Structure formats: structure tokens, C-alpha cells
Amino acid sequence: MDYDPSNEKKAIDDTKAGVKGLVDSGIVEIPRIFIRPSHELAEELTMCKSTLQVPVVDLSGIEVEDERKKIVNEIRDASEKWGFFQLINHGVPSSVLEGMIDGTRKFHEQDVEVKQEYYSSDPTRGVRFESNLQLLTTKGRNATWKDTLYISKLVSEPDEIPEVCRKILVEYKNHVIKLGDILLGLLSEALGLKPDHLKAADCDKGLMLACHYYPACPQPELTLGTGKHTDPVFLTILLQDQSGGLQVMRDNQWADVEPIEHGLVINIGDLLQIVSNDKFVSAIHRVVANKVGPRISAASFFTGGSTPPKMYGPIKELISDENPPLYKEFLATDYTAKYFSKPLDTRDLFRL
């Protein structure tokens, strides 16, 4: 008989307790909805692991002209070759970073009755707690071993943020906005543009935060914490704890993004690859599951969600007879809608 994942999905959804609820119930085998397809598991066994390390960029000295040039060059190199880099001396206080990890943990580890009021699969809800079941299973993909608190109303309605982590989320958000402005300036310069170019194009708008909680998994070799994907945004700033597990694809091999204490991981999103006309790359990445947990991370996404919606395409200043546009123009909202209805390679739908 054909396997129908919807019954398992409904059973987990109905608890409104997420993946952590499964772990707390004492399961020793993961439900089938989480098990990766056999061809993927077989492919995993033959794949080589990369020993390459994601570049590290030190932002100290950014106000000094020669240092700034060096930083811009490093960011350009990392954005062209990796689409990923780690950032140190970025100006976000270590107490705020630690507080953010702690606040995320507190939300996910509070009584399930308190969390349940936020449980929803409705992506239009400004604040929601979910376990990615809706998204992944409707696209014919297996679910992954994590719970997430999504917050998209970060700026306008802080009162809707759960009280247990509200204060630190708002404080962290303010630092992320500042850092986002600095990074978009450096990335503009790395493209040979004026420092304010990407910000003037509203690439800093539409900030959304995803606070992830990856519980310990009894069978980590059968599932993933986050499946392979690219980010359908301009830029992602990721705070991860010291657990490890994040991997980026480089030369068809998975490279570990080793945690750096008080460091942040920066990655180029699809929209920045498109507006840079493929000068920068939006790399495929994933998170592996682990027998030990929880792993905690917080991803801040700059989605470009401006009002009214804006048309995006390759930046005119980067286009020439030798470098013709590779993409047609589109609304960022259309890109996101297509991304969530199609698993990977959404960029190809917009190629000329």
C-alpha cells in the first residue's frame, strides 16, 4: 500500500508540541515522515566531505581606509567563491549573542501549553511556532528534525513576540539592522557600486527572524535538521551555538561551517545573486541532525519586503555588452511564492 504521510503529519500537528514533543514522549525511532528517501541516504554514503574552511572576515578597523579596502576584498572573494563567510569583531555584544541563544532556548523549552498558542502553519501569521511539516510535506519532501519560532513583525509589533524572549529579540534585532546596513554597504562596494546602492534598493527591508531548536535525534543518520536549500532573500545573518552541524556545498562536497565563539555566519541569498548578475553566489546549505542536542540558532533574513513591492533584476550598473543580464525582472514576493511551491533551483525560473 502506498504510504500517505498526511496521517503522521496530522498526528504531530495535533499535539502542537513540535519535534521536541516527540523527543519528550520518549520515542526511540523517528516517524517515517522524517526519514530521507533511500536514494538520498545511499548518495550520502558515497559523498566526500570537504576539508575546506569557510572564510573568516574580521570587521575591526573598518573605519580605516586601507583596512576597509582589505575587508571589501575579502568579502568580495568569499561572496564570489563560497556565498558564505564568518564574521568576527562585528560589533554585536557577546552578552546580546548569548542572550539570544538563551532566549530561543527558553521559548522552546517552556511548558508546551504556553507554546501551543503560537503553533500555526499559516505563513501570514507575524509570529508563529511550527515544525516545518506543512511546507515540506506539501512539496513531497520529508520533514526535518527541528522546531522554529518565526517572527516577521519584528519592527512594528513587539508586543506580539512571546514574553519569555521579547526583550532580547528586540535588542538583538536592533543590532542586526545596524550590522545589515554595514554589510550591505561593504557588499555594494565589493560590486564596484556606491556604498548606499543596495540599501537604496530596499535590500535591507522585510527583516524576518527564525529561531531554530534542533532536539537530540535518536536516528540522526536517517534525517536532517534542515534540508538542503538556498535562501530566497538578499542576505542572511546567522547566529549559531557551539554544537556544529551547519554545512555548505562547495565543489559538490559538504564543508562544515565550524562555530566560532561570538562569531556570526553571513550568507548571500538568491536575490543578491540575481541582482549581482551571478557575480555573487547563493550557496546550497543544510544542517545535519545529531544524537546530542539541542542545537540552537537564529537566522535573520533580509527579504527585501518593501511597500509597495519593488521590481528586482540585475543591477543596471553591472550590465554591459560583455556582461548581459542573466535574469528577467520580477517582484520579490513572486520569487518567494515560487520558491515555496518548488523545492530547489527557483532562480532558474527567472533566467533569461
Side-chain angles (χ1 to χ4, degrees):
M1 202 172 86
D2 282 346
Y3 165 65
D4 178 4
S6 57
N7 293 337
E8 263 183 10
K9 175 191 168 304
K10 186 176 185 312
I12 297 166
D13 258 344
D14 285 351
T15 67
K16 298 186 175 178
V19 174
K20 185 175 184 296
L22 290 174
V23 175
D24 291 346
S25 73
I27 61 159
V28 290
E29 290 187 359
I30 66 175
R32 187 167 165 184
I33 197 174
F34 292 96
I35 297 176
R36 298 166 69 191
S38 51
H39 68 88
E40 264 190 39
L41 294 171
E43 191 182 279
E44 196 76 46
L45 298 173
T46 60
M47 218 169 171
C48 294
K49 188 99 175 293
S50 175
T51 54
L52 294 172
Q53 288 291 306
V54 171
V56 179
V57 176
D58 184 342
L59 279 196
S60 55
I62 193 175
E63 303 303 331
V64 183
E65 192 180 341
D66 286 351
E67 274 301 306
R68 189 179 180 91
K69 276 185 187 155
K70 178 171 168 281
I71 290 165
V72 167
N73 287 336
E74 287 174 355
I75 285 178
R76 180 190 302 113
D77 199 50
S79 301
E80 289 176 1
K81 291 177 184 164
W82 282 87
F84 264 73
F85 53 94
Q86 300 220 57
L87 211 54
I88 58 172
N89 296 316
H90 43 64
V92 185
S94 53
S95 58
V96 173
L97 301 173
E98 288 164 11
M100 187 64 198
I101 293 286
D102 193 46
T104 298
R105 178 195 295 272
K106 279 181 175 152
F107 171 81
H108 286 284
E109 292 184 353
Q110 66 188 326
D111 288 349
V112 72
E113 293 77 20
V114 185
K115 284 194 299 187
Q116 280 172 340
E117 64 181 281
Y118 296 100
Y119 193 87
S120 171
S121 304
D122 175 6
T124 63
R125 267 186 71 164
V127 177
R128 73 184 193 281
F129 159 55
E130 66 160 62
S131 288
N132 74 76
L133 302 175
Q134 184 70 29
L135 171 66
L136 292 167
T137 49
T138 51
K139 295 201 302 191
R141 288 160 67 184
N142 51 300
T144 53
W145 202 255
K146 72 165 183 279
D147 295 329
T148 303
L149 171 65
Y150 287 102
I151 298 169
S152 53
K153 288 187 178 174
L154 267 174
V155 185
S156 54
E157 297 174 46
D159 287 354
E160 288 189 26
I161 298 171
E163 192 179 352
V164 71
C165 54
R166 183 182 304 152
K167 186 169 178 286
I168 189 63
L169 256 70
V170 171
E171 190 177 358
Y172 180 69
K173 175 262 301 183
N174 292 335
H175 284 287
V176 162
I177 288 171
K178 272 189 217 154
L179 181 58
D181 283 354
I182 292 167
L183 285 166
L184 288 171
L186 293 165
L187 288 159
S188 295
E189 289 178 54
L191 288 168
L193 303 165
K194 289 181 177 165
D196 64 347
H197 191 106
L198 291 172
K199 187 172 166 62
D202 288 348
C203 301
D204 61 330
K205 297 290 190 288
L207 183 64
M208 179 182 160
L209 194 64
C211 304
H212 299 309
Y213 184 95
Y214 300 83
C217 181
Q219 295 174 299
E221 68 288 351
L222 296 180
T223 189
L224 285 168
T226 298
K228 67 176 186 175
H229 68 289
T230 58
D231 292 350
V233 300
F234 283 99
L235 192 66
T236 303
I237 297 177
L238 177 80
L239 167 64
Q240 60 171 346
D241 68 8
Q242 298 299 297
S243 306
L246 175 63
Q247 297 179 328
V248 57
M249 181 73 82
R250 176 82 201 267
D251 300 333
N252 282 322
Q253 296 180 339
W254 290 112
D256 288 325
V257 184
E258 298 285 357
I260 296 175
E261 193 167 13
H262 302 141
L264 290 165
V265 180
I266 312 300
N267 67 280
I268 305 296
D270 292 352
L271 301 183
L272 191 47
Q273 173 167 336
I274 289 170
V275 300
S276 75
N277 210 36
D278 279 0
K279 190 165 169 61
F280 293 165
V281 297
S282 173
I284 293 171
H285 51 288
R286 69 179 189 179
V287 176
V288 296
N290 201 324
K291 254 192 160 30
V292 181
R295 174 187 188 268
I296 292 166
S297 69
S300 304
F301 301 110
F302 292 90
T303 67
S306 53
T307 311
K310 216 178 168 87
M311 294 293 284
Y312 288 103
I315 293 166
K316 303 286 184 283
E317 288 84 343
L318 304 180
I319 301 304
S320 64
D321 291 343
E322 298 77 44
N323 188 28
L326 301 173
Y327 299 92
K328 53 192 172 191
E329 292 204 326
F330 57 87
L331 290 168
T333 45
D334 287 348
Y335 189 93
T336 310
K338 282 205 165 48
Y339 176 93
F340 285 118
S341 62
K342 186 176 184 294
L344 260 183
D345 306 321
T346 308
R347 284 192 308 270
D348 292 345
L349 300 178
F350 295 89
R351 279 192 186 273
L352 286 167

